[in-house]
Amino acid sequence: MKAFLLLADGTVFEGESVGATGTRVGEVVFNTSMAGYQELLTNPACFGQIVTQTYPLAGNYGVNDIYSESNGVKALGYIVREVCDAPSNFRSKGTLGDYLAQQGVIGLTGVDTRSLTRILRGHGSMNGALTTEYESADALRSDAALMEKIKSCRVENAVEQVTVKAPETFCEGGCHAAVLDFGVRRSVLAGLEKRGCKVTVLPADTKAEEIKALAPDGILLSGGPGDPADNTAIIENLKGIAALGKPMFGYGLGHQMLAIAMGAQTEKTARGHRGANQPVYEVKSGRTYITSQSCGYAVKAGTEQNAGAHVSYINANDKTIEGLCYDTMPCFTVQFYPELNGSTADANALLDEFVTMMKGGC
């Protein structure tokens, strides 16, 4: 079956459909990871996005529940040059195409993803429609109503869509970590469990008084989807949570929203940081780390001073802020993922540092 991608600038890519049928409108982004396609698709940070895989092949090792980072696919659509329909892996429980269909996700294959990525790199992320409901590119371009929908599309209430609806506690351990779920990945929770922590996952709008009543040893602010500045109520709530004085660690969206709460500003990055090969260097040591990320915003350079923080990590490509340490409270945050799955062993040290803080260390 034919499938098309129509970008907001009128560019059309024609290929073959894989997965579900229909039309989806969202933000078209590219991701440079060379593996981990199921982790990518189920990452809550991809909510509302049509994800383009720059690596040309996906599906070669199939799909399996153990690879999922959440309770299902969060991306709206998936674009890749070629999808393997005969996976080879002893853990495989099915093909990527069947998985997309089961999850109601439209896939597009057989297109020049290099050309698409060059457009997105030059323009930045762009809205678009992924569809199987048109006979030709001309028919697609002539649909003025669809183009208007593409241009006006904006992801709203993203965090509300991916957060847990009620507190969930699991594991027993020496340290109790309260996790504010803005779109947490399962592998982050597994990282805390591996370190002997009791973990309580909380809805994104949990108030400071409720967290205080739990008496956790520390608070983790998770990553998640969307523009951090949109979450005004959560940001206001974070001021009270910070005032509790508990050790805190945040990553991704949590890193950005806490910075805003404390007085900094965020801005949209030119191309976004999406992939498992983002180079980041530590200011203190000068050491470079290869990190996994999925975000389109960053803390605006210079405004971190208003938040009482100093820069700890910087992106080696575009020089944006990748990490902050706060001067007046036990808290540090980073833009990238802090766990091994889809990242590097180096980043695991951040969870170790957080657990050390919860135990009363420095």
Side-chain angles (χ1 to χ4, degrees):
M1 179 186 294
K2 283 185 180 180
F4 300 90
L5 171 69
L6 171 61
L7 295 175
D9 67 355
T11 303
V12 174
F13 288 85
E14 178 179 342
E16 295 297 318
S17 167
V18 60
T21 58
T23 299
R24 306 285 188 274
V25 177
E27 180 186 27
V28 185
V29 301
F30 68 90
N31 189 290
T32 59
S33 298
M34 293 181 288
Y37 48 83
Q38 188 175 349
E39 290 90 337
L40 169 62
L41 289 165
T42 57
N43 185 350
C46 292
F47 179 85
Q49 294 179 343
I50 297 170
V51 180
T52 303
Q53 195 91 59
T54 61
Y55 191 75
L57 175 67
N60 54 308
Y61 52 86
V63 294
N64 190 304
D65 286 345
I66 64 173
Y67 301 143
S68 292
E69 289 288 1
S70 65
N71 60 358
V73 173
K74 303 305 178 186
L76 279 179
Y78 188 54
I79 303 171
V80 65
R81 180 69 179 86
E82 179 183 352
V83 170
C84 175
D85 59 5
S88 177
N89 187 316
F90 72 97
R91 290 195 180 99
S92 178
K93 299 299 182 181
T95 68
L96 176 56
D98 288 344
Y99 179 68
L100 292 174
Q102 292 162 8
Q103 295 284 314
V105 178
I106 299 174
L108 174 64
T109 69
V111 298
D112 186 349
T113 50
R114 294 175 300 175
S115 176
L116 174 56
T117 300
R118 286 178 67 88
I119 292 173
L120 298 176
R121 279 182 59 84
H123 181 277
S125 60
M126 187 188 306
N127 286 349
L130 198 57
T131 180
T132 63
E133 298 181 315
Y134 294 79
E135 291 296 324
S136 67
D138 289 340
L140 182 58
R141 287 193 187 94
S142 65
D143 190 337
L146 179 60
M147 180 57 78
E148 181 58 34
K149 186 176 181 180
I150 290 170
K151 291 181 177 179
S152 63
C153 176
R154 194 171 191 279
V155 178
E156 297 180 340
N157 303 318
V159 172
E160 181 181 330
Q161 300 297 318
V162 299
T163 189
V164 294
K165 305 308 178 187
E168 300 176 359
T169 299
F170 60 94
C171 314
E172 291 297 332
C175 288
H176 183 191
V179 178
L180 271 176
D181 179 18
F182 307 135
V184 70
R185 303 203 319 181
R186 285 177 174 173
S187 50
V188 173
L189 302 179
L192 291 172
E193 180 183 3
K194 182 179 179 181
R195 287 162 176 79
C197 296
K198 174 183 177 181
V199 180
T200 300
V201 182
L202 301 170
D205 59 356
T206 303
K207 300 294 187 291
E209 294 78 10
E210 299 173 74
I211 295 177
K212 183 178 181 180
L214 289 173
D217 297 300
I219 302 167
L220 188 146
L221 311 177
S222 85
D227 183 344
D230 287 347
N231 302 292
T232 53
I234 294 175
I235 289 169
E236 186 63 30
N237 191 39
L238 284 175
K239 296 177 183 179
I241 293 173
L244 295 176
K246 296 285 185 179
M248 284 201 302
F249 168 58
Y251 70 90
L253 187 67
H255 152 78
Q256 298 156 6
M257 290 196 297
L258 181 63
I260 297 174
M262 302 311 294
Q265 299 173 27
T266 56
E267 59 184 356
K268 194 167 187 176
T269 55
R271 301 184 178 96
H273 301 154
R274 299 179 179 93
N277 46 13
Q278 295 289 320
V280 171
Y281 67 85
E282 187 179 24
V283 174
K284 183 178 180 180
S285 67
R287 182 178 178 182
T288 298
Y289 299 86
I290 303 302
T291 69
S292 176
Q293 302 186 33
S294 184
C295 52
Y297 295 84
V299 176
K300 189 175 182 179
T303 67
E304 78 281 354
Q305 300 172 13
N306 302 330
H310 62 273
V311 178
S312 55
Y313 293 90
I314 295 175
N315 189 284
N317 286 333
D318 61 14
K319 310 306 178 188
T320 53
I321 291 174
E322 289 279 358
L324 294 174
C325 285
Y326 288 83
D327 301 322
T328 59
M329 57 182 181
C331 176
F332 68 103
T333 63
V334 296
Q335 185 96 333
F336 47 93
Y337 292 115
E339 87 290 350
L340 179 60
N341 290 11
S343 185
T344 63
D346 293 331
N348 281 268
L350 297 173
L351 287 180
D352 292 335
E353 185 176 348
F354 176 52
V355 171
T356 298
M357 287 176 61
M358 288 195 290
K359 292 180 178 178
C362 56

